[in-house]
Amino acid sequence: LSAGVCCCCAALRPRYKRLVDNIFPEDPKDGLVKADMEKLTFYAVSAPEKLDRIGAYLAERLSRDVVRHRYGYVLIAMEALDQLLMACHSQSIKPFVESFLHMVAKLLESGEPKLQVLGTNSFVKFANIEEDTPSYHRRYDFFVSRFSAMCHSCDQDPEVQTEIRIAGIRGIQGVVRKTVNDELRATIWEPQHMDKIVPSLLFNMQKIEDIDSRTGPQSSPTGGVKEENPSVLAENCFRELLGRATYGNMNNAVRPVFAHLDHHKLWDPNEFAVSCFKIIMYSIQAQYSHHVIQEILGHLDVRKRDSPRVRAGIIQVLLEAVAIAAKGSIGPTVLEVFNTLLKHLRISVDLELGDRRSSAGSATLSTSSKESDERIVQNAIIQTIGFFGSNLPDYQRSEIMMFIMSKVPVLGTTSQSLDPSHLGDLGTRRIQIMLLRSLLMVTSGYKATTISNALPAPFLDPLLSPSLMEDSELRQLVLEILHNLIDRHDNRAKLRGIRIIPDVSDLKIKRDKISRQDVSFMKKHGQQLYRHIYLGCKEEDNVQKNFELLFTSLALTTIELANEEVVIDLIRLAIALQDIAIINEDNLPMFNRCGVMALVAAYLNFLSQMIAVPAFCQHVSKVIETRSVEASYFLPETIFKDKCDLPKSLEKDETDLFFLTNKIAESLGGSGYSVERLSVPYVPQVTDEDRLSRRKSIVDTVSLQVDILSGNSTEDKVDNTEEITFEALKKAIDNNGLEEQEKEKRRLVIEKFQKAPFEEIAAQCETKANLLHDRLAQILELTIRPPPSPSGTMTITAGHAHYHSVPVYEMKFPDLCVY
């Protein structure tokens, strides 16, 4: 009778319709008739072929009740459908499911919030059912669209709005679960679906009040309060979606995130963007991390002309992503990350300098603000490069160090990937500093077993080149990078600051016995290190930090790499630095001269205590005590004060204030050291780096010719007039023929003195010098020759350092060239 027909007609109706009609009471408030529902369920299980008819009839009744707003009967119909779904799992359930989904769609299309929630709940129950066989024709496009729209509900009633949004999120979660478990699960990962699902979830996630508290790995939800929060439910659904993503569909799930962040301008500020990508990186499978990084890099390229703060926000997101990915699988994106970041570093510098040039002469607030914003971008890039590199394994980190160093532009060369020709001096300097800063971060914490692994020749040469630049900040960065690589026992913090250390043993220096590989490294490359320390002390723009870093370099070299031979070389270097301050051939300011003297005092004090030779320690202590009384400006504690009275001049005769070579040799010789080389003054080698560093070559600044005249000059005068004879003409012709041979010979000699190790040159010269020593006493007159003549006479400069035991004079040797 509930169907509105007479008893006779009702008796003639099909049984399944009669069973369906019987579950509806006269008053819908009474709810589903349970006894009749059990009969209907038993009938459906016993005759599964009737399921499709039962579903179609229920759908017909539900549609009629929805139109007539008889919502009580609608609730009963959906409850019956839910029970039938839970009870029946035969192959014949497929047509019934189609009727069920049709009824759910009717509810979702209605404008009544209660019906939308009812339809969503039924769909979620259906999504949790595991079907025996897959469906090859069923699609969920409508449900994806409808649930996504519900996620953006803007109902005027806040409670209703929240209820509908929660229903939409749960519906999306049900679609994801149903399709992922289906063999045709790839359909849900299509871009047209992801472009609706992901932004809907992100829209609700933006309401999270405490972002930072849940950006880590997902924790199991507790309590029922969180489930009523759309933001929490959306985040859980988002994590679940990403956790089910595979290699082929990962990118489809990530790309809509960028579109959402772009559309809502969430890169500046970027707190939500950072939170999003932390969730992504923690939710996806670790082996797919490089996909996300590639997508971020690609988006950075797309937005390369956006405002600096937007680019900085994207780079910050990249930093957070690589920080998580570096702990797992990086994949093939390591060099791609660095290539892209270096490219954007160049773009940022170009934009900054371009704005500066365009606003020349009209400094405005907006321009300065934009420049500062570009600095934010550059700092973010450096931080990302450094952090990414410092988290790589050692074998990859060494490759990245070489890669970054190869990108540092050097003025005067065109082989660099970052061509400095279009940047100008200022742009090139900026990129040099930023790349060295990133390299400093990459080398932080790097512990190589041998120095040759940390400083291979292809890396050492380009690294030391910027230490010759006329820029104090560049030199500081190079020295700090060297400290990271040389300091294998974490002694640098104990040596921080330049000072006279009363007792080095209190520092508790850690050191190991020098390995054979390290000894070999110092034989091959020690002169390079000495040279750059020596030349670094001669720079006029040195400040206190430069001297502190130079002191630390000498101290770390002593700790990590010094055997007896290296100790002698370091002492020779220290005495040569003292010569710089006293002779002052480079016209250094008085502060620099006193700074060098203080550096030598601090280092020799440290070295003497490290090798523990009592006589050496006594000499060093005596000089320091004398300086503290008579010339405190030669000590680091005084000269590096804010207000220090500088002397007007340095007297070369005050030997009590200087460290003397002969006394050092005497003290070390008594302890078994081979001190013969101490009598040979240290002279840095000349390399091509002088040309690349835009510094005057040592060959250009050091040129003096020394003559030794044999016999009496008054007795051996040569007549300038010469008789023209056949023999004289023949001799002149022969000489012209030998000119090319003489030029080649001179070229080989010069090349030898430029490239051969100093010890080899000194050994060859020592024998001849000893033979000529006796002749020196007979010399009555010393003459200074003019610059090189066409005959090819080589000129060399030497200073007069009378505070040494052996004075150096200007002489000429017919068959010996002193370099």
Side-chain angles (χ1 to χ4, degrees), residues 490-503:
D490 298 323
N491 292 312
R492 181 174 33 171
K494 304 171 186 178
L495 301 169
R496 185 170 295 134
I498 180 171
R499 63 196 186 281
I500 303 296
I501 304 173
D503 190 354

Side-chain angles (χ1 to χ4, degrees), residues 133 148 154 177 191 199 238 254 277 304 338 394 413 420 610 656 670 720 729 789-790 811:
T133 56
S148 298
C154 297
R177 290 177 180 176
F238 189 52
V254 175
F277 278 91
K304 63 183 178 181
F338 288 100
D394 286 345
T413 63
M610 288 295 294
D656 292 341
N720 291 332
L729 292 174
S789 63
M811 303 163 289

Side-chain angles (χ1 to χ4, degrees), residues 719-748:
D719 190 359
N720 291 332
T721 60
E722 182 177 356
E723 182 180 359
I724 299 178
T725 62
F726 175 78
E727 293 296 333
L729 292 174
K730 182 180 179 181
K731 182 178 181 181
I733 294 174
D734 292 340
N735 287 339
N736 291 334
L738 296 175
E739 184 177 355
E740 293 298 327
Q741 296 181 9
E742 291 296 330
K743 287 184 179 179
E744 179 66 17
K745 183 178 179 180
R746 288 195 301 272
R747 188 189 65 80
L748 293 175

Side-chain angles (χ1 to χ4, degrees), residues 704-708 783 785 796 798 809-813:
L704 199 253
Q705 179 173 319
V706 190
D707 293 347
I708 294 181
T783 59
R785 298 296 183 184
I796 311 205
Y809 296 98
E810 300 174 350
M811 303 163 289
K812 178 179 179 183
F813 300 89

Side-chain angles (χ1 to χ4, degrees), residues 62-80:
L62 184 138
S63 299
R64 184 171 62 248
D65 292 335
V66 168
V67 172
R68 296 176 180 179
H69 301 284
R70 300 169 62 181
Y71 297 140
Y73 288 120
V74 172
L75 295 175
I76 294 173
M78 291 308 301
E79 185 178 355

Side-chain angles (χ1 to χ4, degrees), residues 629-681:
V629 176
E630 301 179 8
S632 60
Y633 42 78
F634 284 165
L635 298 177
E637 290 80 0
T638 301
I639 186 61
F640 296 123
K641 288 182 179 179
D642 293 337
K643 294 181 180 180
C644 174
D645 295 330
L646 298 176
K648 296 182 179 179
S649 62
L650 293 183
E651 299 296 335
K652 302 179 181 180
D653 297 330
E654 297 178 357
T655 57
D656 292 341
L657 301 177
F658 307 142
F659 300 99
L660 304 180
T661 304
N662 57 341
K663 292 189 177 182
I664 295 176
E666 181 180 350
S667 62
L668 294 180
S671 298
Y673 281 82
S674 178
V675 296
E676 289 80 7
R677 288 189 300 119
L678 281 179
S679 60
V680 181

Side-chain angles (χ1 to χ4, degrees), residues 194-263:
M194 287 291 104
D195 290 343
K196 298 174 183 177
I197 292 175
V198 174
S200 300
L201 298 177
L202 295 177
F203 176 76
N204 288 275
M205 287 169 58
Q206 286 179 246
K207 304 300 180 181
I208 296 178
E209 296 178 357
D210 187 9
I211 294 177
D212 296 334
S213 63
R214 293 195 319 284
T215 52
Q218 182 182 13
S219 57
S220 58
T222 58
V225 179
K226 287 187 177 180
E227 291 298 329
E228 299 301 323
N229 189 339
S231 60
V232 175
L233 186 61
E235 180 182 330
N236 292 334
C237 182
F238 189 52
R239 289 181 184 272
E240 183 178 350
L241 174 68
L242 295 168
R244 296 174 183 272
T246 59
Y247 179 85
N249 49 48
M250 174 61 64
N251 293 341
N252 291 340
V254 175
R255 285 170 184 167
V257 177
F258 295 103
H260 179 82
L261 297 175
D262 290 342
H263 179 70

